[in-house]
Amino acid sequence: MADSLDLLNSISGLVSTPSTKKRIRIFLNQIPAIFKNSEAYEEFALQLVDIIFSTLFIYDDRGSREAVDNVIIKALSEITFMKSFAAALVQSMEKQSKFHTRVGCYRLLKWSCLLVYSQFSTISKNAFSRLGSAQATLIHILMEGSFRERRACKQTFFHLLSQSADICKMYIDEVNDTRIPYKDAPELLTLLLEFSNTLPPLFENFKPTFLDLYVNSVLNAREKPTKNLSEAFRPLFGHMLHDDLQSVVVPSSVKMLKRNPEIVLDSVSFCLQSVTLDLSKYAIEILSVVSPQARHTDENRRIGALAIVRCLAGKSSNPDTLEAMFNNVKAVIGGSEGRLAFPYQRIGMFNMMQELAHAPEGKRICSLSQLVCSFLLSCYRGEGNEEVKLAILSAIAAWAARSSDSIQPELLSLFTSGLKEKETLRRGHLRCLHVISKNSDVVARISSLLVPLIQLVKTGFTKAVQRLDGMYALLLVGKIMAIDIKAEETVSKEKIWSLVSQNEPSIVPVSMASKLSVEDCIACLDLFEVLLVEHSRRVLDTFSVQLLSQPLLFFLCHPSWDVRRFACSAVGKLVAGAPELSEALLLEFANFLSTVGEKLHFSKISDTENSLDSQIPHLLSTEVLVKSLFVISRVATITTSRDSFLIMLCSHHPCLVGTAKRDSIWKRVNKCLQAHGLSFIGTVSTNIENLCKGILGPQGLMNTAIDRREAAIYSLCTLMTIAPKEVYTEFEKHFENTSDRHSHNMLSENDIQIFQTPEGMLSSEQGVYVAESISSSISKESKKNSSSNNSIRREPTSRESSGLGKKDAGKFAKKPDKGKTAKEEARELLLREEASIREKVRKIQKNLSLMLRALGELAISNTIFAHSQLSSMVKFVDPLLRSPIVNDVAYETLVKLSRCLAPPLCNSALDIATALRIIATDGDHLLLNMIPSVGEAEANGSSSLGILERIVTALSVACRSGSLPIDTFTFIFPIMEKILLSSKKTGLHDDVLRVLYLHMDPLLPLPRLRMLSVLYHVLGVVPAFQGSIGPALNELCLGLRPDEIASALNGVFAKDVHVRIACLKAVKCIPAVASRSLPENVEVATSIWMALHDPEKSVAEIAEDIWDRYGYDFGTDYSGLFKALSHANYNVRLSASEALAAILDEYPDTIQESLSTLFSMYIHDASSGGGTVDAGWFGRQGIALALYSAADVLRTKDLPVVMTFLISRALGDPNSDVRGRMINAGIMIIDKHGRESVSLLFPIFENYLNKKASDEEKYDLVREGVVIFTGALAKHLAMNDPKIDAVVDKLLDVLNTPSEAVQRAVSTCLSPLMQSKQDDGPALVSRLLDQLMKSEKYGERCGAAFGLAGVVKGFGITSLKKYGIASVLRDALADRNSAKCREGALLAFECLCETLGRLFEPYVILMLPLLLVSFSDQVVAVREAAECAARAMMSQLTAQGVKLVLPSLLKVTIISVVTFLII
């Protein structure tokens, strides 16, 4: 028991979950389990009831509700639960009757039906009565709701009654005994009657009961019954027999009509309207008691009595009865029941006479019509009251229209004189003639009235006050013209058409129609019908179709149902007679909807009373507008694209759609058209191109009205569900060809700045105070703006505002206007120019925003199709994400596109769109900064995930069951790409790569080249991924086309060797490479050729195999190689230089042109490095490498050009590295070609060294290089050549240059020249040692060390001892008094080790103890020099040398450790 209660307690906190699955699981599994396992069910019945009722308002889906209902059905088998549930249910029902929430009412009604069906009534009779009363109230509320609510209520209650006949009997008994109060909620009684009608035996059984209820509650009521109560018995009236009427209903009705007629008049009228029996035998009896009410002083009684008379006349088939009724009324008018002294009495009786005209057709109707008309004519002549005369005319009209024989000369004479009466009676005669003319047989009889009618037309359309009379007269003239040719000739002679068109172009102005009565509105419609059906050509040639459509549209949307009903039937006939009217009606309706929308919007946002204009004299309900659209659409020629476009636009107008689904009205229109045999969807499908052009044009998406633009977007969305491919193709074509895209791309920064500048201010004035010009219009605008923006401004004083300062004002008025200054005029001119630019940018912004919004809505409307077109859609959005004017709209569109991704990624649409926006706007560094590095998240203990982490998590979840759809993967790939392009490994790399590895299928249209590129990058950043990335690269390459090979080879430009190897191995997997069917391509050849000359042999070996498969010669296009010389990676520049040298060796004729290209590239790169950052030094270094590599292939005739370039430009390069490599290139060229070119090159060098310098700094740099070149060339001179001494002196001078590259080059040049300087050896060594130990500049001491190493190498290793160099260096190293000596000695040791190599090893062993001591020197420079010397010494040791130095190293190490421990 305790366990069950605990379970219920836990469940009570879970039932509010928004998850439908969890709700169903609770009520289908968990709660039923408690039923089975519980032994003391009674104790927790109340808690279960609370759980059930807590779901009343929060469960809004069908599955959850059905699960709860199933629990209720099972639980009702327990009496305890039934009682608790019934008590709670009745309380909730009674409470709900006060709040009237229909959803709650319906749920409670359904639960109450479940309770009744569970035999609840057998437990307590009183409880059932209370429950039934509550049900009656709920049914009353629901039956006042929408159609669907009424239908659901009826179905639920009928289902209960159908379960058992006893249930229906119980309700009827409760109602009959008044235990269920049905008078205030009669809908329960209606449902009982309707259900009984479905079961004839049941109805016959309870028919007496229902009759008694009707008589007691309605006919014998002490108070007037409600309309709903009277109408509740409608099902009973349809099954009444004569016996029922004669014995029960009629006697009771007559009795009450005599006693309390005001109570039952409406009820009796409704009863007589509803019965299906002939009322001839009851007509006189009822008429006799109704007649006094027809002439009663109370207008409501008169109206009720006339309704009864109309029913009696319409349902009396016996002609004797009708004549008796006429005689009865005639007698009353004649005074049989007393003189009718008051006009309203006589009006009432003549109205009764008019109602008798509703009698059915019969043989004696014609004679009776003549008799009645004669009687009424005599009454008219004897009547003096104008209102009574109008009533008589109405009665004459009703009876004269029944038979043409009633039109006698006396009647025509009446009409002739009546048309000359004053306004009221004249109009009464015209209305009478209008009613009579509805009988086509009568029109010929009244043709004699043509002349006075024409005169009335002239007067009516000339004088505005008689316009309505003119319309009635024109209507009658039109009908007469339709049957009489002579009448038409008469009208033409009188120029009636031109007269009407000049005075009233629309025939019936809307401003006038809004003031007309219902009868007059119907007459106007009749006028349009006559003119446009019978005289369409003449009318259309005279009047504008657009103007004619305006009043027709007004009548279609008229507040009166009678006018709308007549207009609906008239419009069909009008369009049939004038087909061009359909388009005008649709266009006018579209404009009308926009106006209505503006009015509705204004009425919602404005607190003031909304003034309606003549165009919209009254606010219309949505349903009236929708029905009007049905009518117009039904009669429109939807086979034309123009009409179809307008129907689509109108049916999606926000004014109609409101808060419903966008296509709800469209579906109703389409259903309406289908019901009339019109296939609108078929028409739409065949006219997609024209429809889209219309929707995207100025009448649709580009319209100035906001509602029209919304309608266009909604229409496109609907079309997207009908023919998505065709619609998107047209939209794509329109978007691509729109001029606004090009105009947007051509906007300058100045245009954007102007656009962002407020009106009335120049873009150059932002942030600058601008004095106002008093006389300019700009000041007025600024005043207006300042008042609305609460800016600080001096308010006018009370004296100024009240007019007390008239004296001052007069003074100012007398002053002449000085006009504007030239500066002010220039400013105004600039303002106008900027306003024009601002308007242009605003137009571009508006149009592009609309297109982007339409694109997003199209995608959302058909996500499945949009998913397949994501790559196409993104191309419109991505460039505009960087736009300064539409970037926000583009982002919103991107969010909608992201929602079209395959689930569950569509749930992360906002994150994905945000990340893509950041990437597109070059803010990806922000994203990368948010990515945690490996282990960082765990170290920080952060529980919140960043945007990229959330996206990657969603990706991992989406890929659990396999790969993503290709369109989804392509859409989201830029985010994965950006993560993997990080410069370091992040915590997301592993997950992203796992996702990437799932998408390698060679048959899918993947972004393979981008995937290859990003994998190359990852492999370079994280070599540990080589094992997984290598196979992935191979698999990706299986799907590459031949034209993609060049891009796939981009990996050979990577910095890391393993990346280049992986790239080449993957390229071998490309089908075209594997099958040796590569196309000839310069880029492919360049990449393979460079890999073939890679500095790493392993790379070159693989490339050699690919080159063999390529099968073509390289050719003479070296553009790729030249470009690679400027690559950021050194290895690429080196490979390019070697590759260029190799190809020049094969094609020596191209050397001269290639040199020219290299020199031009150098000049270009040198000029691009003018800023603080030298951006072109990579390219210049690559050129130096190329010259170095090409030294072998250069010809003698190329040497002067190359050397001139080096001297004139390269040796003066501002970058020391480039300068050093240029020197090395020159030395290499001299080494290769110096022996045979001494006489050619020496004059060039000497010529430069002898000329004066214009730029001392640059000259010194170049001079150093030239001196080095001279030294390199001097080794090819004869040993006794006197030039050698001069060259050596210059080289020694250049040693003072503080550049390691220069000093190394000089050292290299000195060595070969020492053979000629044997005699000067001691002095040369002494000079260098002195500079090494005593020079004040570090650069000079370092140069002396390089020079000494070069001299020793030239003289030989023995010179160390011969000239005492070793002993001098040892003594200097031990000199504790001079740090310069110690540092210099160490520099010399370093250079000697590098230059002499292993030959210097014996001296290393001897010098090692002193070197180790230098590591603890007090001077930092000495310690650093010792470190460099030690590194150089140890790098040159042989295996035997290592053995010799180890004891000394170990001894020093042990002493250091012991000393540390002692300390």
Side-chain angles (χ1 to χ4, degrees):
M1 177 60 199
D3 293 340
S4 300
L5 289 175
D6 292 340
L7 282 173
L8 279 179
N9 287 329
S10 62
I11 288 173
S12 63
L14 298 175
V15 291
S16 60
T17 176
S19 172
T20 302
K21 291 183 179 179
K22 291 181 180 178
R23 293 173 178 177
I24 295 174
R25 186 167 60 249
I26 288 171
F27 284 93
L28 286 186
N29 300 329
Q30 297 178 7
I31 292 180
I34 298 175
F35 296 161
K36 296 179 181 179
N37 301 328
S38 176
E39 297 177 356
Y41 176 74
E42 296 82 358
E43 298 186 16
F44 58 87
L46 286 173
Q47 189 172 359
L48 180 58
V49 170
D50 292 340
I51 292 175
I52 291 172
F53 275 88
S54 66
T55 69
L56 180 61
F57 297 105
I58 60 175
Y59 282 18
D60 54 358
D61 61 283
R62 183 176 180 180
S64 300
R65 290 178 175 178
E66 287 182 351
V68 175
D69 293 346
N70 290 333
V71 169
I72 294 173
I73 292 170
K74 293 179 181 178
L76 284 173
S77 59
E78 297 289 339
I79 301 299
T80 304
F81 176 83
M82 182 187 295
K83 292 180 178 179
S84 301
F85 181 74
L89 179 63
V90 172
Q91 289 178 2
S92 298
M93 293 168 74
E94 291 174 348
K95 185 187 299 183
Q96 198 64 32
S97 64
K98 300 177 182 178
F99 297 105
H100 289 200
T101 55
R102 290 194 172 90
V103 175
C105 288
Y106 176 71
R107 292 291 294 150
L108 291 173
L109 177 64
K110 189 166 186 179
W111 288 354
S112 67
C113 292
L114 295 177
L115 180 63
V116 172
Y117 181 64
S118 65
Q119 305 302 319
F120 171 70
S121 58
T122 60
I123 298 174
S124 172
K125 196 72 174 178
N126 293 331
F128 177 74
S129 300
R130 187 178 175 188
L131 179 66
S133 300
Q135 281 182 322
T137 303
L138 295 183
I139 291 173
H140 172 70
I141 295 171
L142 289 171
M143 294 302 285
E144 288 181 343
S146 65
F147 166 75
R148 292 186 177 182
E149 291 171 348
R150 296 196 303 271
R151 182 179 62 184
C153 172
K154 185 175 179 180
Q155 289 176 348
T156 301
F157 197 68
F158 274 24
H159 178 72
L160 170 65
L161 298 178
S162 64
Q163 300 299 311
S164 172
D166 294 335
I167 295 177
C168 184
K169 182 177 183 302
M170 280 193 305
Y171 277 105
I172 295 174
D173 291 341
E174 293 292 320
V175 169
N176 190 34
D177 296 338
T178 66
R179 286 193 290 268
I180 296 180
Y182 61 89
K183 292 184 180 180
D184 295 330
E187 287 78 9
L188 174 64
L189 184 60
T190 304
L191 294 180
L192 289 173
L193 279 165
E194 289 182 359
F195 179 78
S196 301
N197 277 336
T198 61
L199 301 173
L202 181 66
F203 182 80
E204 292 298 328
N205 186 25
F206 289 106
K207 184 177 179 181
T209 304
F210 291 136
L211 278 173
D212 290 341
L213 284 172
Y214 175 66
V215 171
N216 294 329
S217 61
V218 178
L219 297 181
N220 293 336
R222 295 182 179 181
E223 297 179 354
K224 186 176 181 179
T226 63
K227 181 180 179 182
N228 288 342
L229 180 59
S230 298
E231 294 178 354
F233 291 94
R234 185 198 301 270
L236 174 64
F237 300 149
H239 290 75
M240 278 189 180
L241 302 176
H242 281 290
D243 290 341
D244 301 324
L245 278 176
Q246 188 171 1
S247 61
V248 179
V249 176
V250 171
S252 299
S253 299
V254 170
K255 178 181 176 182
M256 284 300 294
L257 284 172
K258 291 179 180 179
R259 291 183 178 179
N260 297 308
E262 71 279 3
I263 294 178
V264 295
L265 269 174
D266 293 336
S267 300
V268 172
S269 173
F270 181 77
C271 176
L272 296 178
Q273 290 175 17
S274 303
V275 296
T276 57
L277 302 174
D278 190 340
L279 301 179
S280 300
K281 61 172 69 175
Y282 321 109
I284 300 299
E285 182 182 3
I286 297 175
L287 184 68
S288 62
V289 295
V290 168
S291 177
Q293 306 306 317
R295 55 184 186 272
H296 196 274
T297 182
D298 185 1
E299 183 180 0
N300 291 328
R301 289 200 191 186
R302 295 200 299 270
I303 293 173
L306 292 175
I308 293 175
V309 174
R310 185 185 305 115
C311 293
L312 292 174
K315 295 189 177 184
S316 297
S317 59
N318 190 338
D320 293 333
T321 302
L322 186 60
E323 188 172 351
M325 292 171 70
F326 163 67
N327 291 328
N328 186 302
V329 176
K330 178 180 177 181
V332 174
I333 294 174
S336 62
E337 296 183 8
R339 180 172 174 269
L340 304 178
F342 298 100
Y344 68 83
Q345 294 176 330
R346 299 195 297 277
I347 292 173
M349 297 313 297
F350 286 119
N351 286 340
M352 281 185 68
M353 190 71 74
Q354 180 182 348
E355 297 299 338
L356 293 178
H358 289 89
E361 291 290 339
K363 295 180 181 180
R364 295 167 57 181
I365 195 68
C366 293
S367 59
L368 184 61
S369 174
Q370 293 180 40
L371 182 62
V372 173
C373 286
S374 298
F375 170 73
L376 292 173
L377 183 59
S378 62
C379 292
Y380 182 88
R381 290 171 177 169
E383 181 60 51
N385 186 278
E386 193 174 78
E387 292 183 1
V388 180
K389 284 187 173 183
L390 292 176
I392 296 173
L393 287 173
S394 298
I396 291 174
W399 279 103
R402 297 300 303 269
S403 172
S404 60
D405 296 336
S406 60
I407 308 300
Q408 298 298 322
E410 295 85 358
L411 195 56
L412 289 175
S413 176
L414 174 68
F415 290 144
T416 302
S417 60
L419 294 178
K420 299 176 184 179
E421 292 277 2
K422 293 182 180 180
E423 180 181 358
T424 305
L425 285 177
R426 182 177 65 246
R427 190 166 297 166
H429 282 81
L430 287 170
R431 285 172 177 159
C432 179
L433 287 171
H434 170 236
V435 175
I436 294 172
S437 66
K438 292 180 181 179
N439 186 341
S440 57
D441 296 334
V442 176
V443 176
R445 298 289 186 97
I446 63 173
S447 59
S448 60
L449 300 175
L450 179 64
V451 175
L453 289 172
I454 291 176
Q455 188 59 40
L456 275 178
V457 172
K458 290 182 178 180
T459 306
F461 282 94
T462 304
K463 298 178 181 180
V465 293
Q466 296 186 23
R467 187 64 44 82
L468 183 58
D469 293 349
M471 292 176 187
Y472 270 105
L474 183 61
L475 166 61
L476 295 168
V477 169
K479 290 191 174 185
I480 294 172
M481 288 169 55
I483 62 170
D484 190 349
I485 299 177
K486 293 182 179 180
E488 187 172 358
E489 294 175 357
T490 304
V491 170
S492 299
K493 289 179 183 179
E494 297 291 338
K495 299 181 179 179
I496 295 298
W497 300 114
S498 59
L499 173 68
V500 174
S501 63
Q502 289 172 6
N503 290 278
E504 193 52 70
S506 61
I507 301 179
V508 181
V510 175
S511 57
M512 176 183 174
S514 61
K515 302 173 184 177
L516 298 179
S517 64
V518 172
E519 182 183 2
D520 294 335
C521 288
I522 293 175
C524 290
L525 283 167
D526 204 0
L527 171 62
F528 277 109
E529 186 175 334
V530 169
L531 295 181
L532 288 171
V533 174
E534 303 293 342
H535 315 285
S536 59
R537 286 302 95 202
R538 187 180 295 276
V539 172
L540 293 176
D541 292 341
T542 308
F543 299 93
S544 166
V545 176
Q546 181 183 359
L547 294 176
L548 291 175
S549 64
Q550 291 176 357
L552 287 175
L553 183 59
F554 170 78
F555 292 131
L556 277 173
C557 303
H558 197 275
S560 170
W561 159 240
D562 291 329
V563 176
R564 294 199 304 271
R565 178 171 53 83
F566 196 87
C568 290
S569 62
V571 165
K573 300 174 184 177
L574 297 178
V575 173
E580 53 267 59
L581 192 62
S582 64
E583 182 179 338
L585 272 173
L586 284 168
L587 187 58
E588 194 62 34
F589 187 69
N591 297 330
F592 180 73
L593 287 177
S594 298
T595 309
V596 171
E598 291 175 6
K599 293 291 180 182
L600 289 173
H601 177 68
F602 180 78
S603 66
K604 292 176 182 177
I605 64 174
S606 176
D607 294 332
T608 60
E609 185 178 354
N610 186 21
S611 59
L612 301 172
D613 54 22
S614 59
Q615 188 176 4
I616 305 179
H618 49 266
L619 286 176
L620 304 167
S621 69
T622 302
E623 195 62 26
V624 169
L625 294 172
V626 172
K627 295 291 178 60
S628 301
L629 177 59
F630 288 171
V631 175
I632 300 173
S633 302
R634 190 170 64 243
V635 301
T637 53
I638 62 170
T639 53
T640 64
S641 59
R642 177 73 173 172
D643 285 352
S644 301
F645 149 65
L646 290 173
I647 292 173
M648 286 290 296
L649 208 62
C650 293
S651 59
H652 291 88
H653 199 281
C655 182
L656 297 183
V657 175
T659 58
K661 291 184 178 180
R662 296 176 178 179
D663 60 348
S664 58
I665 305 299
W666 147 256
K667 288 181 178 178
R668 292 178 62 184
V669 171
N670 186 44
K671 188 175 181 180
C672 172
L673 294 175
Q674 285 179 344
H676 289 80
L678 300 173
S679 177
F680 193 22
I681 291 182
T683 304
V684 167
S685 302
T686 56
N687 287 288
I688 287 294
E689 182 177 355
N690 294 326
L691 269 175
C692 289
K693 286 180 180 178
I695 293 173
L696 295 171
Q699 290 293 336
L701 190 63
M702 297 303 161
N703 197 271
T704 55
I706 297 175
D707 287 351
R708 187 75 69 86
R709 298 199 292 264
E710 291 291 322
I713 292 175
Y714 294 172
S715 300
L716 284 173
C717 293
T718 297
L719 287 175
M720 194 72 170
T721 62
I722 298 173
K725 183 177 180 181
E726 293 79 3
V727 172
Y728 180 69
T729 300
E730 293 301 322
F731 180 85
E732 183 181 31
K733 191 189 306 179
H734 182 82
F735 206 164
E736 285 178 346
N737 297 332
T738 182
S739 59
D740 294 304
R741 287 183 71 204
H742 176 71
S743 301
H744 175 272
N745 297 334
M746 298 302 293
L747 290 177
S748 63
E749 292 183 5
N750 186 49
D751 294 337
I752 301 302
Q753 184 179 358
I754 291 171
F755 174 72
Q756 294 171 346
T757 304
E759 294 280 353
M761 180 183 290
L762 292 174
S763 58
S764 58
E765 294 173 352
Q766 279 192 302
V768 180
Y769 173 75
V770 181
E772 290 184 335
S773 172
I774 296 175
S775 61
S776 67
S777 61
I778 299 162
S779 68
K780 297 178 182 178
E781 184 67 24
S782 63
K783 288 178 184 177
K784 188 186 302 181
N785 292 339
S786 67
S787 64
S788 62
N789 295 327
N790 299 320
S791 60
I792 300 175
R793 181 186 300 274
R794 182 181 67 85
E795 296 295 335
T797 61
S798 59
R799 179 178 179 182
E800 292 171 346
S801 60
S802 61
L804 295 179
K806 293 181 180 179
K807 183 177 180 182
D808 294 336
K811 291 179 180 178
F812 283 113
K814 293 177 182 178
K815 292 182 180 179
D817 187 8
K818 295 182 179 180
K820 299 175 183 177
T821 65
K823 185 176 181 180
E824 290 171 343
E825 290 179 353
R827 185 173 183 272
E828 284 199 7
L829 180 61
L830 287 174
L831 281 171
R832 285 194 294 269
E833 292 177 356
E834 290 198 356
S836 174
I837 294 173
R838 192 178 293 110
E839 184 60 31
K840 179 188 74 172
V841 178
R842 188 178 290 116
K843 180 183 177 184
I844 294 172
Q845 181 191 42
K846 186 198 79 170
N847 292 343
L848 285 180
S849 298
L850 285 172
M851 292 301 294
L852 284 170
R853 184 162 173 265
L855 177 62
E857 295 297 335
L858 281 178
I860 291 296
S861 65
N862 194 337
T863 55
I864 296 175
F865 176 80
H867 178 265
S868 65
Q869 300 294 325
L870 279 175
S871 57
S872 172
M873 293 179 174
V874 168
K875 74 180 181 183
F876 294 115
V877 180
D878 189 65
L880 297 177
L881 288 171
R882 296 179 286 276
S883 167
I885 59 175
V886 295
N887 55 345
D888 290 335
V889 183
Y891 169 66
E892 293 172 4
T893 304
L894 189 62
V895 172
K896 293 174 182 176
L897 295 184
S898 302
R899 289 176 182 159
C900 300
L901 296 174
L905 282 176
C906 57
N907 300 326
S908 303
L910 192 60
D911 284 340
I912 293 171
T914 303
L916 290 173
R917 183 187 192 181
I918 296 174
I919 293 170
T921 53
D922 299 326
D924 47 280
H925 60 281
L926 299 175
L927 280 176
L928 297 178
N929 289 337
M930 291 188 286
I931 306 176
S933 58
V934 180
E936 184 179 322
E938 292 81 355
N940 296 336
S942 175
S943 59
S944 60
L945 298 179
I947 181 172
L948 291 181
E949 292 173 283
R950 294 196 298 271
I951 293 173
V952 172
T953 301
L955 268 173
S956 301
V957 171
C959 292
R960 284 176 183 171
S961 58
S963 61
L964 299 172
I966 185 60
D967 297 292
T968 295
F969 176 80
T970 305
F971 185 86
I972 206 171
F973 176 73
I975 302 175
M976 303 164 63
E977 180 182 36
K978 193 55 62 178
I979 295 172
L980 295 177
L981 287 177
S982 173
S983 59
K984 60 182 180 180
K985 183 182 179 182
T986 69
L988 304 179
H989 267 63
D990 292 327
D991 292 334
V992 174
L993 285 175
R994 273 194 291 271
V995 173
L996 207 64
Y997 294 156
L998 292 173
H999 304 84
M1000 298 288 174
D1001 194 322
L1003 300 178
L1004 294 177
L1006 298 165
R1008 296 182 183 279
L1009 297 180
R1010 292 172 66 185
M1011 293 170 71
L1012 285 171
S1013 177
V1014 75
L1015 288 177
Y1016 291 153
H1017 175 82
V1018 174
L1019 191 55
V1021 173
V1022 192
F1025 285 144
Q1026 189 170 356
S1028 61
I1029 290 181
L1033 291 172
N1034 297 342
E1035 192 171 355
L1036 273 176
C1037 286
L1038 289 173
L1040 289 180
R1041 303 187 304 271
D1043 59 333
E1044 296 174 324
I1045 296 175
S1047 299
L1049 282 165
N1050 285 337
V1052 302
F1053 299 102
K1055 180 180 179 180
D1056 302 290
V1057 176
H1058 62 276
V1059 177
R1060 303 200 292 274
I1061 292 175
C1063 169
L1064 292 172
K1065 287 182 177 179
V1067 167
K1068 291 172 70 175
C1069 298
I1070 299 175
V1073 177
S1075 61
R1076 297 178 180 270
S1077 57
L1078 282 78
E1080 188 173 7
N1081 185 283
V1082 174
E1083 293 182 23
V1084 174
T1086 301
S1087 300
I1088 302 174
W1089 186 257
M1090 285 178 58
L1092 193 61
H1093 295 86
D1094 194 277
E1096 291 293 331
K1097 291 184 179 179
S1098 55
V1099 176
E1101 290 173 357
I1102 303 174
E1104 186 175 1
D1105 179 38
I1106 298 176
W1107 181 257
D1108 291 339
R1109 300 184 186 198
Y1110 179 63
Y1112 299 100
D1113 293 333
F1114 186 89
T1116 57
D1117 186 351
Y1118 309 151
S1119 57
L1121 296 175
F1122 292 140
K1123 182 179 179 182
L1125 290 174
S1126 303
H1127 200 275
N1129 292 335
Y1130 173 76
N1131 61 288
V1132 177
R1133 300 195 294 274
L1134 186 59
S1135 298
S1137 63
E1138 294 293 337
L1140 181 62
I1143 200 63
L1144 289 176
D1145 191 30
E1146 292 188 17
Y1147 299 99
D1149 293 339
T1150 62
I1151 292 177
Q1152 190 172 357
E1153 182 182 353
S1154 299
L1155 289 174
S1156 176
T1157 303
L1158 290 173
F1159 299 157
S1160 299
M1161 289 170 56
Y1162 180 90
I1163 295 170
H1164 177 269
D1165 290 344
S1167 62
S1168 66
T1172 56
V1173 178
D1174 188 357
W1177 80 272
F1178 284 157
R1180 302 198 303 277
Q1181 187 201 63
I1183 294 169
L1185 293 173
L1187 292 174
Y1188 185 92
S1189 300
D1192 270 343
V1193 302
L1194 292 177
R1195 299 162 299 185
T1196 302
K1197 64 180 181 180
D1198 301 321
L1199 299 182
V1201 178
V1202 176
M1203 288 302 169
T1204 302
F1205 162 73
L1206 291 173
I1207 294 170
S1208 62
R1209 293 189 179 276
L1211 294 182
D1213 196 282
N1215 187 283
S1216 59
D1217 182 81
V1218 175
R1219 202 164 54 247
R1221 293 185 185 277
M1222 288 294 184
I1223 292 173
N1224 292 339
I1227 293 173
M1228 179 59 69
I1229 292 171
I1230 293 171
D1231 287 345
K1232 298 295 183 181
H1233 304 279
R1235 186 174 300 278
E1236 62 271 15
S1237 305
V1238 172
S1239 59
L1240 182 64
L1241 299 179
F1242 238 111
I1244 297 174
F1245 301 154
E1246 288 180 337
N1247 182 47
Y1248 182 80
L1249 294 173
N1250 292 333
K1251 74 176 183 179
K1252 293 182 179 180
S1254 58
D1255 184 350
E1256 289 294 336
E1257 183 178 356
K1258 184 176 181 181
Y1259 175 77
D1260 289 342
L1261 295 175
V1262 178
R1263 180 180 174 279
E1264 292 167 0
V1266 174
V1267 169
I1268 294 172
F1269 290 167
T1270 306
L1273 186 61
K1275 66 185 178 183
H1276 298 292
L1277 297 173
M1279 291 184 61
N1280 56 356
D1281 195 312
K1283 294 180 180 179
I1284 292 178
D1285 293 335
V1287 171
V1288 171
D1289 289 339
K1290 291 178 180 178
L1291 289 173
L1292 292 176
D1293 290 339
V1294 173
L1295 279 175
N1296 295 329
T1297 303
S1299 169
E1300 183 178 344
V1302 172
Q1303 292 168 349
R1304 286 183 183 277
V1306 172
S1307 176
T1308 304
C1309 294
L1310 283 173
S1311 298
L1313 300 179
M1314 289 301 101
Q1315 298 299 323
S1316 302
K1317 300 289 288 184
Q1318 293 289 344
D1319 296 338
D1320 300 328
L1324 189 60
V1325 171
S1326 177
R1327 175 182 173 182
L1328 291 171
L1329 286 172
D1330 186 64
Q1331 182 176 338
L1332 180 67
M1333 306 298 178
K1334 299 178 181 179
S1335 178
E1336 294 294 332
K1337 297 180 180 180
Y1338 171 79
E1340 292 180 357
R1341 296 199 302 275
C1342 190
F1346 276 107
L1348 183 63
V1351 169
V1352 170
K1353 183 177 180 181
F1355 286 141
I1357 190 66
T1358 57
S1359 61
L1360 289 171
K1361 186 176 182 181
K1362 178 179 179 181
Y1363 298 119
I1365 297 173
S1367 59
V1368 172
L1369 293 177
R1370 188 184 302 109
D1371 293 341
L1373 194 58
D1375 188 354
R1376 296 291 97 188
N1377 296 323
S1378 175
K1380 294 179 182 177
C1381 291
R1382 298 195 300 276
E1383 183 185 15
L1386 290 169
L1387 292 173
F1389 285 150
E1390 179 185 359
C1391 292
L1392 287 169
C1393 286
E1394 290 179 354
T1395 305
L1396 300 177
R1398 295 179 179 180
L1399 293 176
F1400 192 67
E1401 187 175 293
Y1403 294 95
V1404 171
I1405 298 169
L1406 293 175
M1407 298 291 184
L1408 184 59
L1410 295 173
L1411 176 64
L1412 295 175
V1413 172
S1414 299
F1415 275 101
S1416 60
D1417 199 285
Q1418 296 177 351
V1419 180
V1420 176
V1422 176
R1423 294 199 300 271
E1424 291 176 353
E1427 183 179 350
C1428 295
R1431 189 177 290 109
M1433 290 178 181
M1434 297 305 158
S1435 65
Q1436 301 294 335
L1437 285 179
T1438 62
Q1440 187 63 30
V1442 173
K1443 293 179 181 179
L1444 294 174
V1445 301
L1446 274 178
S1448 299
L1449 294 175
L1450 292 174
K1451 181 179 179 181
V1452 173
T1453 304
I1454 293 171
I1455 293 172
S1456 300
V1457 171
V1458 172
T1459 304
F1460 174 76
L1461 293 174
I1462 292 172
I1463 295 173

